[in-house]
Amino acid sequence: MSEVPPLSKPKTDEQKREALRARIEAAQQRNSDRTLAEQARHAADEAIAFTRKHPLAVVGGVVLAGFAIGAMTKSGRKVGKRGGVLMNLALESTFAYGAKMLQEALIAARDAGDRLEDFGDDAATTARGLRRDVAYKLDVAADAVRAKSRKVTRKGSRAVRSLKERTGR
């Protein structure tokens, strides 16, 4: 297999022509080295890759090709007049389907917002209940601490008084 000449910049027009001729000859040599089966396999692989990458473009192209071939025949032209009506019907159906999908998406978004609002309300209600419970528990604990403090103070002052009475001070 022949090599492609390096892509250095030729300075004169003659050198540019020579470089172009060399590239053309290299391409012709590569094409002649490949068999027809290899070329067909390569073309099929590229077509499959394109179809996988752009499926809607391929389907659209096939539909347009079908309409173009049909329009070339006499019976196809007759159908074409009715086909306009069918095409309008198909387009309206497509738009209606798209509108329905959009409407369903909007409804789903609204429902999700409603669920989120309900969750927020439930969380707020639970937080208020917890705050009340915590406040109550803290109040009960503060009462208990005050009661214990008074009790300890009473017992302490009684003990001090008792000691003073015993010691006479």
Side-chain angles (χ1 to χ4, degrees):
M1 194 171 200
S2 70
E3 297 259 341
V4 176
L7 293 174
S8 61
K9 287 198 169 199
K11 297 187 184 211
T12 66
D13 287 338
E14 187 59 38
Q15 288 175 335
K16 289 179 183 177
R17 282 190 208 103
E18 252 337 286
L20 184 58
R21 279 189 197 111
R23 290 181 67 197
I24 290 172
E25 288 174 12
Q28 288 175 342
Q29 182 63 36
R30 279 194 313 272
N31 284 339
S32 67
D33 289 345
R34 288 176 35 183
T35 66
L36 184 59
E38 288 174 346
Q39 290 175 357
R41 191 175 311 117
H42 179 69
D45 290 343
E46 285 184 4
I48 290 170
F50 181 82
T51 302
R52 285 185 179 148
K53 192 172 183 181
H54 308 286
L56 293 178
V58 171
V59 170
V62 169
V63 168
L64 283 176
F67 279 131
I69 291 171
M72 291 180 200
T73 64
K74 187 175 183 178
S75 60
R77 285 190 296 274
K78 287 181 185 178
V79 171
K81 291 177 185 174
R82 283 183 265 139
V85 173
L86 293 175
M87 183 61 88
N88 281 338
L89 182 63
L91 286 175
E92 286 177 14
S93 298
T94 302
F95 287 137
Y97 179 74
K100 182 175 181 190
M101 295 301 288
L102 181 61
Q103 183 180 11
E104 287 177 5
L106 291 173
I107 289 170
R110 184 193 64 207
D111 290 346
D114 290 346
R115 285 193 299 272
L116 189 60
E117 183 181 14
D118 292 345
F119 176 74
D121 287 346
D122 291 344
T125 301
T126 302
R128 283 191 301 273
L130 288 173
R131 186 176 60 222
R132 276 192 311 272
D133 290 348
V134 166
Y136 173 75
K137 297 286 185 189
L138 287 176
D139 196 32
V140 168
D143 285 346
V145 167
R146 278 192 294 274
K148 286 289 183 185
S149 174
R150 283 192 304 268
K151 188 175 181 181
V152 166
T153 302
R154 271 193 320 265
K155 283 190 174 191
S157 57
R158 287 178 189 158
V160 168
R161 187 179 50 194
S162 174
L163 276 175
K164 280 184 182 180
E165 287 176 357
R166 288 187 199 162
T167 60
R169 287 194 184 182

